[in-house]
Amino acid sequence: MSLSLSTNMSILFTDHVHEFRRLRAEFWNTPGVHEELKAYEACDNDHEYKILKGLVPKPLVGRVTNDFGPAWQKSDTFFTDFPTHNVPQRVLSSTEHSHIICNVACHDTRLYSSDVDPSSSDKTAAAGMSYMHLLVIPSSKVYNAVSHLNPDLITEMKTHFWDFWVRDDSINKINRAIHDAMERRYAEVADAYQRNDNSTAPRRLAHLDAVMEECRISAVNFANTLRATRNSVDVVYGFHSHPHHSVGHLHMHVLLADPLFRTNSTLAHDRKTLSFEAVEHVLGAEEAESKSYGIRHC
């Protein structure tokens, strides 16, 4: 299953529908999944989670990260109660039902390459999928598209994004969030150099600074291009379905499909990205079928 963000996603609509249905069937046929999902939704911190993926890592349970918000609980994910665990600037827009946030990862793979990453390993797959890589997340606790039953929520998430997109301040907010993610990555790498080996830190920092200068220049160009082309850029929406997701909280990826905006971004996750249209179609069809049998989904 492959998704080319540079190609109209509707071309792959049928394939995505089949794949999403297959993943949903696999999920719901997993022994014990109903009980585990109920525990997750009830914030049961005593349950031993063996099926659901993308919860807060065990070493972080009971700790406060980012020097902000309450300590993480066992049933939490990094998107659980997002505004309470993050500084206000991380939330670009909110409604009663959803939040728009920027991907925490920097968009530029050059800051994750083996010559820059503190581990000297290729971590480019950890970068964002395009210059603009936003996420729309529900404010309620919803695990994943494969576990979700009501299409109204994802429709609201998409509507929320468009309402935000047409606001006068949206592009400046987006560009600022992207800039902040890039600068956080720089600081993270520089700090790691100092902690890991002071003898090699000066040499590695000099190289990092040179790479970062190139990243900043290209980011400014992307930002200016986005401002100039907002009304004509191709925005796509997609989901990473269980078990191919990273965070165990429903989130819709919002990306710029134009290859220009993906020049320095990762393509590693295109394969697992299922289109919004396919997910909406499957959920809507299942809801219609349930209603015809008098079954109501919450």
Side-chain angles (χ1 to χ4, degrees), residues 96-109:
E96 179 184 355
H97 302 289
S98 61
H99 307 292
I100 300 175
I101 64 176
C102 186
N103 187 13
V104 68
C106 168
H107 69 281
D108 202 313
T109 55

Side-chain angles (χ1 to χ4, degrees), residues 62-205:
R63 295 176 54 189
V64 175
T65 57
N66 303 325
D67 297 322
F68 197 89
W72 294 112
Q73 302 300 309
K74 186 178 179 181
S75 63
D76 284 343
T77 76
F78 287 129
F79 293 164
T80 303
D81 297 326
F82 190 88
T84 67
H85 287 281
N86 293 272
V87 295
Q89 293 84 352
R90 291 289 312 280
V91 181
L92 304 184
S93 178
S94 291
T95 66
E96 179 184 355
H97 302 289
S98 61
H99 307 292
I100 300 175
I101 64 176
C102 186
N103 187 13
V104 68
C106 168
H107 69 281
D108 202 313
T109 55
R110 289 174 290 186
L111 292 177
Y112 296 87
S113 61
S114 59
D115 61 319
V116 167
D117 191 81
S119 69
S120 297
S121 301
D122 182 356
K123 298 291 183 65
T124 52
M129 295 175 66
S130 77
Y131 168 70
M132 185 190 82
H133 186 166
L134 304 183
L135 303 169
V136 186
I137 62 175
S139 52
S140 57
K141 200 167 187 186
V142 181
Y143 174 62
N144 189 265
V146 296
S147 67
H148 188 53
L149 301 175
N150 186 347
D152 293 344
L153 176 58
I154 65 167
T155 300
E156 190 278 341
M157 290 161 65
K158 184 176 180 180
T159 300
H160 179 190
F161 172 77
W162 270 109
D163 289 344
F164 167 69
W165 181 253
V166 299
R167 280 169 32 185
D168 291 340
D169 64 341
S170 64
I171 299 302
N172 284 339
K173 276 193 166 187
I174 291 168
N175 283 331
R176 170 53 62 180
I178 294 168
H179 172 271
D180 290 349
M182 185 172 64
E183 295 298 332
R184 280 197 305 271
R185 175 59 180 172
Y186 171 83
E188 172 187 282
V189 173
D191 289 346
Y193 289 167
Q194 298 285 2
R195 292 195 310 270
N196 293 348
D197 189 345
N198 284 332
S199 65
T200 62
R203 173 180 57 81
R204 299 201 75 182
L205 280 170

Side-chain angles (χ1 to χ4, degrees), residues 229-292:
T229 61
R230 173 172 67 172
N231 295 330
S232 59
V233 293
D234 185 12
V235 178
V236 295
Y237 313 86
F239 295 92
H240 295 164
S241 294
H242 175 101
H244 308 301
H245 64 294
S246 55
V247 179
H249 186 110
L250 179 67
H251 52 285
M252 181 177 72
H253 298 263
V254 184
L255 313 166
L256 298 174
D258 190 319
L260 170 67
F261 288 108
R262 306 195 74 206
T263 302
N264 301 310
S265 298
T266 184
L267 308 181
H269 308 296
D270 288 20
R271 181 178 179 83
K272 66 182 183 181
T273 305
L274 300 179
S275 71
F276 173 91
E277 292 79 7
V279 172
E280 182 183 47
H281 173 80
V282 171
L283 295 181
E286 290 182 0
E287 182 182 56
E289 183 179 3
S290 296
K291 286 181 178 178
S292 70

